[in-house]
């Protein structure tokens, strides 16, 4: 079984996230999503709209996703890859090159980021629509 892994916050889930998960899953037979905890998000300078349990619940409902586990720090990727016997590490290409060091442990694949959608964009659009 070819196992794939990817990481993220996946807040305000949108089609850019789904395309990433769909294409990641197509690279193998099993997809593990390592989901940033609320505490880790704080260290990333991110305040997710949905908390960890809500974001996990949403991800687990996606047919492309087989397992969701917590991401608590930047340094757990090698352990995650070894513990979960991962064959391919996948991220959107906004991270291009950032995780090449993982190629000592598994294949590293950067997928095209979906244009014209992001969690930040959604928040900005909604904020702009708030009536004064
Ligand atoms: N993504 C995408 N297209 C978009 C938006 C996001 O392909 N329009 C991808 C990102 O490239 C990433 C994944 O969806 O691979 C999750 O994006 P975020 O939730 O923004 O994750 P991020 O904050 O980048 O956290 O250790 C790594 C970090 O946890 C990554």
């Amino acid at each position: 079984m070819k196992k794939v892994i990817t990481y993220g916050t996946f807040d305000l889930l949108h089609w850019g996230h789904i395309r990433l998960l769909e294409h990641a899953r197509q690279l193998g037979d099993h997809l593990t999503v390592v989901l940033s905890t609320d505490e880790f998000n704080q260290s990333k300078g991110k305040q997710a709209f949905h908390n960890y349990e809500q974001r996990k619940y949403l991800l687990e409902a996606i047919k492309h996703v087989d397992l969701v586990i917590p991401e608590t720090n930047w340094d757990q990727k090698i352990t995650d890859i070894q513990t979960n016997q991962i064959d391919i590490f996948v991220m959107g290409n906004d991270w291009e090159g950032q995780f090449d060091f993982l190629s000592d442990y598994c294949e590293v694949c950067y997928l095209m980021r979906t244009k014209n959608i992001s969690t930040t964009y959604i928040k900005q659009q909604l904020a702009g629509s708030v009536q004064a």
Side-chain angles (χ1 to χ4, degrees):
M1 174 186 345
K2 183 173 280 191
K3 297 185 74 178
V4 185
I5 199 167
T6 192
Y7 290 71
T9 300
F10 295 100
D11 190 30
L12 297 183
L13 206 58
H14 54 69
W15 69 85
H17 292 138
I18 302 299
R19 276 169 51 92
L20 186 283
L21 295 170
E22 179 183 19
H23 294 164
R25 178 65 176 72
Q26 287 169 348
L27 294 172
D29 309 295
H30 182 282
L31 174 62
T32 297
V33 178
V34 192
L35 181 62
S36 306
T37 60
D38 298 325
E39 296 73 16
F40 181 49
N41 272 332
Q42 277 177 357
S43 73
K44 288 200 280 188
K46 280 191 163 187
Q47 171 66 43
F49 181 83
H50 291 128
N51 67 32
Y52 176 80
E53 287 306 323
Q54 292 162 337
R55 289 179 286 118
K56 181 171 186 282
Y57 182 69
L58 285 162
L59 284 170
E60 288 174 338
I62 299 170
K63 66 181 179 182
H64 310 303
V65 176
D66 298 286
L67 175 66
V68 181
I69 59 176
E71 179 183 30
T72 59
N73 66 80
W74 288 109
D75 305 317
Q76 68 184 78
K77 293 183 174 66
I78 293 172
T79 305
D80 291 345
I81 288 164
Q82 293 173 325
T83 307
N84 294 281
Q85 298 170 309
I86 298 298
D87 301 288
I88 309 176
F89 169 91
V90 172
M91 288 299 289
N93 65 358
D94 48 318
W95 290 94
E96 185 87 34
Q98 300 299 307
F99 301 112
D100 292 354
F101 69 93
L102 294 174
S103 59
D104 292 341
Y105 305 93
C106 67
E107 192 181 330
V108 175
C109 178
Y110 300 102
L111 297 176
M112 185 64 71
R113 181 186 171 91
T114 302
K115 296 186 177 3
N116 305 322
I117 184 67
S118 69
T119 303
T120 303
Y121 176 76
I122 293 169
K123 287 180 176 177
Q124 288 168 345
Q125 290 299 303
L126 290 174
S129 65
V130 171
Q131 299 309 321

